Each structure stands twice: as C-alpha cells, then as structure tokens.
Amino acid sequence: MPSGETANSSPAHHAARAADGGDVLESITPAGTLDRWTDRASRLLHVPMACISVIETSGAVIQSGVGLVEIASETGLVSSFHLFINRVVAQGQPVLLSDTRPDSSIAASPEPRMAAYAGVPLLATQGDRLGVLSVADHQPRAWTADDLALLQDLAASISAHLERQTLMGALQAAQQETEAARHALKRSETRFAKTFSLSPLILTITSAADGRLIDVNATFERLTGYTREEALGRTPVELDLWLNPVDREQGLQALRNNQSISNVEAEFRMRNGQVMTALCSAEVIEIDGQPCVLTVLNDISERKRAEDILQRYQLLSERARDIVLFVRRDGHIIEANQAAIEAYGYDRDTLLSLSIYDLRAPVTSVEIEAQMARADGSGILFETVHRRRDGSTFPVEVSSIGADMGGERVLLSILRDITDRKRLERQKDEFIAVASHELKTPLTSAKVFAQLLRKRLNRLQDEPAGRYLDKTEQQIDKLTELVNDLLDVSRIEAGRLELQAQAFSLVDCVHQIVADIQPTADAHGIVIEGDLATPVVGDQDRIGQVILNLLTNAVKYSPGADTVIVRLEDTPDQVIVSVQDFGIGIPPSDQAKIFDRFFRVDGTRERTYPGLGLGLYISSEIIRRHGGQLWVISEPGRGSTFTFSLPKHLAATPSSLP
Ligand code: ADP
C-alpha cells in the first residue's frame, strides 16, 4: 500500500473474517455489521487502523479490520495487532500505548507502520470477555481520556451487539437441536414400534412396577396362542407362562441389581399347554418416564427337539449293529455311526469327508439320484453293493428315508450287511436246484412204473387195487408239480428260464385249461367272459401255466364260494386276462408280498391250504419276461382278482423274449 494512502479509503482492506470458527459467527453476525463499527472507530478517533477481534475457542480472531496489512494464515488474519490484542484479552483492561516502536517485538512485526495502539476489551454483561476493539496510528500518539471514553463507548455497543448475537445464536442452535432431537426421537420411536411389531422374536413390555404386560407383539400372539387383548393388563404369572417360576424370580433379581439378562434358556407354557424352550433376554427401559422391562424370547423348541432327537439317535445308532448314515441330498455324508466306521474301514473324519458315491460300488449317478429322490419322498428299501476302503465290496440292504435335521433336509439310511444272508440264499438255491433235480428222476420212473402197473391191473380187473393206483398216481403228479415248481425257481434264480415264443390263440388256451380243471373243481362253476380278437405271441405252455396257477388258487382259496370268473379283454396295446374269485381275499399288507418266492399269507390257513408259495412268484416272472404285468386287487373276506397283461407289440418281435 502506498504510504500516503489511508487505510479506510480502501474498502478492500476490510479484512476478511477468520476462516476458522467463522462459520457460526457469520451465520449470526453479518460481516457488514462489524465492519461498520471498525469504520466508525477509525473515523471517530481519526486513526488509519482499527479492528474488532472476537474470542473463539482457538483464541482471539480478527473478525473485521480496516487499514491492516493483512497476512493470511490458516487460522485467519494475523498481524502485529495480535500481540496487543492478546495483552488486552489477558489483562481484561484497556491497553493504551502511545509509542509502540520501542517494543522489541515490533521490529519483527509485519505491521511496521504501527506506532501507537489502543485496545479495550469487549465485555459481556456478566463480565465475560467477548473480544477486543483495537485502534492504531502510524505516528506515536498520546491517547486522551476522551479517546479512551470514546473507545469504551464503542466497545460497550459492540459488546451488546455481540452478546445479543451470541445469545440469539445459542437460542437458534438450541432450537435447532431440540427440533433435531424431536425428529430423532420420532424416528427412533417409529423404528422401535416397527421392529417391535414385525420382529420374528417374541417381544413383550411389562411394567416394572407391577409386572403387568403393557405391550406384546404379533409373534407373541402367534407362538403363545394368547391374543393381545387376553395378555395386556395381566402378568406373565397370571397367564401361567413360566414353566418354572423360579427362573422368572432369578431374572427379576438380576434386573433389580441393574443387570440385564442375555440369552438365558427357560421354558414357557403356551396357551394350549405345549412347552416352548426359548432363550430369554431382558432389560429395563424407560417408557414415558416409567421403568419397564423389555423381554425378548427366541423360540428354540425346534432346535431343542432336533438336538434331543439327534442325541437319542446317536445313542441308538452307536449301539446299532447296522450301518447308520445321514446323507445330504448332494450325497455328502454328514453323520455315521461306529458300525459304519467298522464296516467301511475309514476313520470317522475321512468317512465324513466322503460322499455316498464313494461308498457305492460303481453305479450311475442317475440311479443314485433317482433312489435319493424316492427315499426323500416315501422312503425306499433296496439291495445294492457297497465298497470298503480297501476296494472290496459287500452286499447291503438299504432302508432310506428323508428327514429334517436342524432345518436341513437329509436322508437317514440304515444299511444292513447281507453277505451272510446272500450266502445262505445261494446255498438254499443250490440245494433246491440239486434236490429238485435229484427228485425228478425217481419221480419220473415212479410214474412210468405206475403206468406199467396200471396195464397189468387192468388185465387182472382188481378194482380196489385200481383205486389205490389212482391215488398213487395223483400223489406222484402232485409231487411232480412241486418238483417242477422248484426247478422253475432254480431256473429263474440262475437266469435260465427259457421261453419259446410263438403265435397262439390265448382264448383257446384259456378254454382248454378251464375244461381240464373244471372236473376237479366240482364245487365251483368257472365262467369265461369276453373274447380276444388277435392271437398272442409268447410261450404258450408258460402262459398256460400262469392261467392254471391263477385258476387253481382261485378255487383253492374260495372254499365257500361257487363261482370263479375268467375275463378276457382286448385293448389297442395289450390283452388282459383276469381271474376273479369270491373267497377269503388277501390282507392289503400282504398283497405285494405274495409275488415273492416262498411267501404265503400268515395264519392258520397255512395248514388248511397246502402249497409252497412258489406259484405266483413263477407266474409273475413268466409274465414279466413277456413284457407284461401281474397284479392283484383283493379284499379280505370278499375275494381276489388276479390280472395279467401282455403287450401286443410282442407280436411283431417274437424273438424279443429275453
Ligand atoms: P401257494 O398257493 O402254493 O401257497 P402261490 O404263490 O400261488 O403259492 O400263492 C402265494 C400265497 O398267496 C398263497 O399262499 C396265499 O396265501 C395267497 N393267495 C394266492 N392266491 C390267492 C387267492 N386267490 N385268494 C387268496 N389268497 C391267495
């Protein structure tokens, strides 16, 4: 600035307000207001320099100045004024310096043109220091009493102004704060109300004074069975919620000792009497100035039940001799018992890192997935082969069913090593094969000798001897039938049941068999209904054997009835033959089993109706090999209808009989 120029002639020299801490002041004191005071001070006292500094947390900051050589610093305006301003602030009294130049610090001051300084404190009504009003001259100057009085007058006005502004600011800030707090409260209240009502946990608020329920949420209503109306105004004790009231007492005691309760397991009685296990947390909160208890219950009954079941299962399965595996739907083994560890030869950790695919002898994943899907549905029982760690295999019977364990869908599989059973079955099969073969030869010669004997007897005309021979021949025939059945079973088991396919009239075959059997079934009339238009392709003898078996059974198992009906039906794809009797029927639980070999329906009937339980097994195998099906519909006491179907397309490919 040129030396002759007066500071107040240049408004540009109104110092900028402090950058730091200025925001608050700016909002309440327009910069222009303070500038007017500095202008006035410089004019009234005829000084080129004047400034107002305000005490802020960082110290005195020049807010408005005129004629200052300003040096911007990060915290605002710095000038040699500060030296004197700080002195005024420290003393709380006016500081009047008529010649500042001897002051050693001025030499280094960036305000070399200052020669005289006068500063008075700006004081609030209560005496608090608000700031400093400073004036300075380029020449030394003896400050008069009038000068001081003038400065103090101005300072009083500025102080009053600042105080007012500060008060207003504080008020405004307080108002804003209250408003913000009100909003925050409202928001948190809404949030609380929402959380309360929507929480999946049971939430209740009880009055700390009398323990009565003030509020309960929807989960409380849903899980306990008590409606809001029933619950509010009553205590949990009145609702009989706590299974062990001691638990509640202990909780209350903790709350009284200013402790909160966190996840304590307790049992609660629901409205319907069922018991719920829950983790209980509680804490005292204030609502409308009243102490209340906010209780949170996390229902873990399901988890508890699952844990109990798991524990029971573990106890059971560890003692079981069968292999027990829990398998996830992706095949991963998640639990195995001791028997499994012993059977497969893996240690527990390795076994639990494997999948069911690692334990099965090679088989397609499609097959395993299909079995798992069926197991997960209604359960499944099947035989397969499993593999040990050393690569050796063993046959197993698997019983598998889907179960929920800890919220996860798993398959519980119980596997029985059937190596011994298979060996016994094999031995039995071999024995049957050998025995029936060995029986066949003497039976055949017995039959031949019986026929020779008949010829001689015919010549002797010995009637009683003839009757005995009839009986002998009948017994030989029965025995032959049994031996034939046993031989058939051996052939089926060995996969050697041979079928000779040819086109034949099934209708004629049926009529022929009925004609043959009718004389021996004197108590029953065998009726044939329906007809078949096309010939059938298949093994006539074997299909005849099936029809004969169904008819003999129908007669045999309906001693009190007088009719057996054979129905023939032609459909576009297949021929259907059914044999209906009105006899004793078959209990539903046995209906699937009667097609197993050696199966006979339990009970005293075993003695009444002779048989080995092989006919239906052989029949169903014959029909299956023809590509058809054999099934039964039966009601105990009302009779049974055995039906088989044969596909017509076999006609085109007679050689397709496997
Ligand atoms: P078997 O008659 O020689 O015992 P099957 O294999 O022909 O052997 O039949 C198996 C079992 O099925 C019989 O023991 C009997 O309990 C039952 N069964 C078969 N047919 C009938 C029927 N028509 N009515 C009632 N039960 C039957």
Side-chain angles (χ1 to χ4, degrees):
M1 183 199 290
S3 59
E5 209 174 332
T6 55
N8 43 356
S9 65
S10 164
H13 283 144
H14 285 297
R17 41 162 222 94
D20 182 31
D23 285 341
V24 177
L25 205 69
E26 184 186 48
S27 61
I28 53 174
T29 309
T33 316
L34 287 183
D35 290 346
R36 276 206 298 279
W37 294 109
T38 40
D39 269 349
R40 200 182 298 173
S42 104
R43 266 189 282 110
L44 288 175
L45 283 126
H46 304 288
V47 283
M49 295 179 272
C51 76
I52 295 169
S53 44
V54 173
I55 297 172
E56 292 178 4
T57 39
S58 55
V61 176
I62 296 173
Q63 295 285 338
S64 169
V66 65
L68 307 190
V69 170
E70 72 246 36
I71 295 170
S73 88
E74 284 200 345
T75 53
L77 224 80
V78 175
S79 86
S80 54
F81 269 78
H82 268 110
L83 195 73
F84 306 111
I85 290 168
N86 287 341
R87 213 178 278 176
V88 179
V89 171
Q91 292 174 8
Q93 297 287 335
V95 171
L96 302 173
L97 301 167
S98 45
D99 191 351
T100 55
R101 285 170 304 178
D103 198 314
S104 60
S105 55
I106 294 297
S109 155
E111 198 65 82
R113 290 161 304 119
M114 186 204 279
Y117 172 87
V120 288
L122 303 171
L123 299 171
T125 330
Q126 302 289 327
D128 294 345
R129 289 160 208 192
L130 300 174
V132 178
L133 168 65
S134 307
V135 290
D137 208 339
H138 291 151
Q139 283 87 41
R141 166 171 173 167
W143 301 102
T144 63
D146 280 351
D147 289 342
L148 182 60
L150 210 59
L151 273 174
Q152 276 176 325
D153 274 358
L154 281 169
S157 305
I158 298 168
S159 298
H161 169 79
L162 281 180
E163 200 176 16
R164 203 169 51 243
Q165 295 301 336
T166 315
L167 274 176
M168 271 175 55
L171 197 70
Q172 223 174 5
Q175 268 173 352
Q176 277 169 357
E177 227 169 76
T178 326
E179 192 64 10
R182 225 161 46 85
H183 274 304
L185 193 68
K186 190 106 197 103
R187 266 203 309 277
S188 81
E189 266 176 13
T190 324
R191 240 194 331 258
F192 178 75
K194 243 193 210 150
T195 316
F196 189 84
S197 64
L198 295 181
S199 173
L201 304 171
I202 294 181
L203 297 178
T204 67
I205 296 172
T206 42
S207 152
D210 56 12
R212 296 193 184 285
L213 286 159
I214 298 174
D215 206 352
V216 295
N217 68 348
T219 311
F220 173 93
E221 293 186 287
R222 185 165 54 81
L223 294 185
T224 66
Y226 290 105
T227 64
R228 248 175 93 76
E229 291 67 36
E230 287 170 324
L232 298 196
R234 298 171 72 188
T235 67
V237 178
E238 285 169 357
L239 291 177
D240 204 17
L241 275 175
W242 289 82
L243 203 68
N244 304 308
V246 183
D247 291 346
R248 177 175 174 269
E249 265 316 308
Q250 280 174 351
L252 283 178
Q253 198 53 48
L255 289 177
R256 274 185 214 115
N257 294 340
N258 288 331
Q259 293 161 347
S260 56
I261 299 165
S262 174
N263 289 330
V264 178
E265 197 175 305
E267 288 177 316
F268 299 87
R269 193 183 293 103
M270 310 291 88
R271 194 175 203 266
N272 62 7
Q274 270 183 6
V275 173
M276 171 181 92
T277 311
L279 292 180
C280 174
S281 302
E283 129 163 46
V284 177
I285 56 167
E286 206 166 279
I287 296 178
D288 296 335
Q290 297 300 315
C292 297
V293 180
L294 170 67
T295 309
V296 183
L297 298 183
N298 183 5
D299 180 6
I300 55 161
S301 309
E302 270 305 313
R303 198 171 83 196
K304 248 347 245 174
R305 262 195 291 278
E307 277 171 10
D308 280 357
I309 290 170
L310 193 69
Q311 217 172 12
R312 251 179 280 169
Y313 140 76
Q314 270 164 347
L315 271 176
L316 272 175
S317 68
E318 280 315 310
R319 281 167 178 67
R321 281 172 50 206
D322 286 339
I323 298 168
V324 181
L325 298 176
F326 273 89
V327 183
R328 260 207 314 254
R329 276 303 305 269
D330 62 2
H332 200 96
I333 295 155
I334 53 174
E335 197 55 68
N337 68 346
Q338 187 56 32
I341 293 164
E342 285 163 18
Y344 293 105
Y346 291 106
D347 61 60
R348 193 182 154 76
D349 288 345
T350 315
L351 194 56
L352 297 190
S353 71
L354 298 179
S355 136
I356 195 72
Y357 294 85
D358 300 312
L359 301 181
R360 290 281 293 262
V363 63
T364 63
S365 55
V366 178
E367 196 176 323
I368 294 187
E369 274 160 28
Q371 280 166 343
M372 292 212 287
R374 273 168 54 209
D376 201 6
S378 52
I380 180 175
L381 181 74
F382 63 100
E383 287 182 11
T384 184
V385 178
H386 272 220
R387 192 171 39 189
R388 298 188 188 89
R389 185 187 182 172
D390 61 12
S392 60
T393 57
F394 60 106
V396 283
E397 182 189 77
V398 185
S399 160
S400 188
I401 186 141
D404 278 319
M405 202 169 74
E408 194 185 4
R409 193 72 187 156
V410 296
L411 298 180
L412 164 62
S413 297
I414 299 174
L415 301 95
R416 177 161 295 179
D417 183 338
I418 50 169
T419 308
D420 288 346
R421 195 170 90 193
K422 284 278 169 200
R423 199 185 53 239
L424 280 174
E425 275 175 17
R426 236 185 353 264
Q427 285 172 349
K428 190 176 71 186
D429 288 345
E430 279 163 15
F431 171 77
I432 291 170
V434 172
S436 46
H437 189 77
E438 293 301 316
L439 282 170
K440 184 88 179 165
T441 320
L443 267 179
T444 314
S445 44
K447 180 80 178 171
V448 172
F449 284 114
Q451 281 165 351
L452 289 174
L453 196 56
R454 178 168 298 283
K455 279 185 188 156
R456 293 194 79 113
L457 274 182
N458 283 349
R459 281 203 296 275
L460 293 172
Q461 294 194 333
D462 184 341
E463 231 184 84
R467 279 204 305 280
Y468 299 149
L469 193 55
D470 283 348
K471 294 274 179 216
T472 309
E473 270 194 298
Q474 274 169 18
Q475 296 305 321
I476 290 175
D477 287 346
K478 260 195 188 157
L479 212 54
T480 310
E481 266 171 41
L482 286 177
V483 169
N484 281 339
D485 277 356
L486 286 173
L487 277 172
D488 280 347
V489 170
S490 301
R491 289 190 190 110
I492 291 170
E493 289 306 313
R496 287 202 312 264
L497 184 74
E498 281 168 21
L499 299 177
Q500 309 295 332
Q502 66 186 57
F504 69 97
S505 163
L506 187 55
V507 191
D508 289 352
C509 177
V510 168
H511 280 273
Q512 184 59 53
I513 293 166
V514 170
D516 288 348
I517 200 174
Q518 185 62 81
T520 58
D522 39 9
H524 294 79
I526 303 175
V527 184
I528 301 173
E529 289 179 2
D531 202 353
L532 299 173
T534 44
V536 165
V537 175
D539 188 318
Q540 181 171 358
D541 288 345
R542 288 299 187 182
I543 290 174
Q545 185 182 343
V546 173
I547 297 166
L548 181 67
N549 178 231
L550 297 184
L551 277 171
T552 6
N553 278 351
V555 171
K556 181 161 81 171
Y557 295 106
S558 66
D562 56 9
T563 310
V564 169
I565 304 171
V566 183
R567 286 193 187 80
L568 306 173
E569 201 187 324
D570 225 340
T571 77
D573 303 330
Q574 49 190 3
V575 290
I576 294 169
V577 179
S578 60
V579 177
Q580 182 177 16
D581 67 60
F582 303 91
I584 59 174
I586 303 158
S589 55
D590 287 335
Q591 288 177 12
K593 298 185 202 154
I594 52 171
F595 300 99
D596 292 345
R597 62 185 173 148
F598 300 114
F599 184 86
R600 313 202 65 231
V601 173
D602 263 353
T604 51
R605 307 186 309 161
E606 281 169 54
R607 284 179 283 277
T608 327
Y609 309 99
L612 278 184
L614 293 177
L616 287 177
Y617 169 69
I618 297 167
S619 297
S620 67
E621 185 63 19
I622 291 171
I623 297 298
R624 191 185 67 77
R625 291 278 306 279
H626 278 83
Q629 274 180 313
L630 171 61
W631 68 94
V632 66
I633 294 173
S634 180
E635 201 181 320
R638 303 195 76 127
S640 315
T641 303
F642 282 84
T643 309
F644 70 83
S645 64
L646 290 173
K648 276 189 175 169
H649 61 77
L650 257 185
T653 52
S655 59
S656 70
L657 287 182

